[in-house]
Amino acid sequence: MSVTTVKWTVADYHRIIAAGILEGRNVELIGGEIIEMAPEGESHAYSSDEAGEYLIYLLGDQAKIRQGKPIILPPSNSEPQPDIAVIQRLGQDYREHHPYPENIFWLIEYSDYTLSKDLGIKSKIYAEAGISEYWVVNLRTMELIVFREPTNEGYQSRETLTQGNINPLAFPDIAVSVARILGA
């Protein structure tokens, strides 16, 4: 006997949420599957919160910083909730829809227990969606892993940083402190 799993679309997922079926559950839609999200530990919560505040200050009116809010990746039937999404300022447009790939400058995930998911499936769906830049903070080793050059097979560039500054592709004139992103 073979087992067939049901793949959900983003529209299906929204109907399930609206029906209250997932109320009280911390989930996200990844590749058509509803995945339970791991709870945030202290280091994760502290580091992502501090980095979010730093980016708000650093980028000012050039971008909006969304923390732990959904984005929509239609090609992969995914609605993940990255720890930080640096997005275009579209004002009330976001009342009608979460940010789409074309609205996203870059994404940041903070990882300890979810490192394999963030480096694996999430990296792949973000690259497939054409997200130009994806950062993963490895909280175990205090490293910033920077992915760039998205393709349908994944990111072609991967760099690991522990210090210094990085210039985001969308804002090449802005130097982002790696230490501040790491929460150091």
Side-chain angles (χ1 to χ4, degrees):
M1 174 179 177
S2 66
V3 176
T4 304
T5 59
V6 174
K7 295 287 185 174
W8 303 100
T9 66
V10 171
D12 293 334
Y13 182 61
H14 288 181
R15 285 192 295 275
I16 292 167
I17 290 169
I21 295 169
L22 298 174
E23 191 169 333
R25 309 238 3 221
N26 195 17
V27 298
E28 59 186 349
L29 184 68
I30 304 291
E33 297 180 2
I34 299 171
I35 309 291
E36 195 104 33
M37 293 172 54
E40 287 186 4
E42 290 84 356
S43 180
H44 182 283
Y46 170 80
S47 297
S48 63
D49 189 55
E50 290 295 310
E53 284 188 25
Y54 168 63
L55 290 172
I56 289 168
Y57 167 78
L58 192 64
L59 294 170
D61 289 337
Q62 296 181 76
K64 180 165 184 56
I65 308 303
R66 281 175 55 121
Q67 294 183 256
K69 304 285 187 226
I71 60 172
I72 295 178
L73 308 176
S76 66
N77 279 317
S78 296
E79 191 173 297
Q81 296 182 37
D83 292 311
I84 297 175
V86 182
I87 61 171
Q88 295 173 339
R89 290 188 164 279
L90 297 181
Q92 292 193 18
D93 285 3
Y94 294 129
R95 283 180 176 263
E96 305 299 321
H97 65 83
H98 297 304
Y100 293 119
E102 60 268 21
N103 307 128
I104 299 168
F105 294 119
W106 86 88
L107 300 173
I108 306 173
E109 295 280 7
Y110 283 77
S111 299
D112 41 22
Y113 307 111
T114 61
L115 189 61
S116 62
K117 178 174 82 169
D118 292 335
L119 295 176
I121 186 66
K122 280 197 170 178
S123 174
K124 183 156 177 42
I125 65 167
Y126 293 157
E128 286 175 347
I131 307 298
S132 62
E133 192 160 12
Y134 171 48
W135 299 358
V136 176
V137 175
N138 181 339
L139 292 167
R140 295 177 189 170
T141 60
M142 293 307 286
E143 295 175 323
L144 173 61
I145 304 163
V146 178
F147 293 94
R148 292 177 170 168
E149 300 175 33
T151 69
N152 286 338
E153 288 77 45
Y155 286 96
Q156 298 304 300
S157 170
R158 176 180 169 155
E159 181 180 9
T160 302
L161 305 169
T162 57
Q163 60 187 358
N165 294 320
I166 182 169
N167 300 82
L169 295 174
F171 304 100
D173 295 336
I174 294 180
V176 177
S177 164
V178 171
R180 296 287 300 267
I181 295 300
L182 295 173

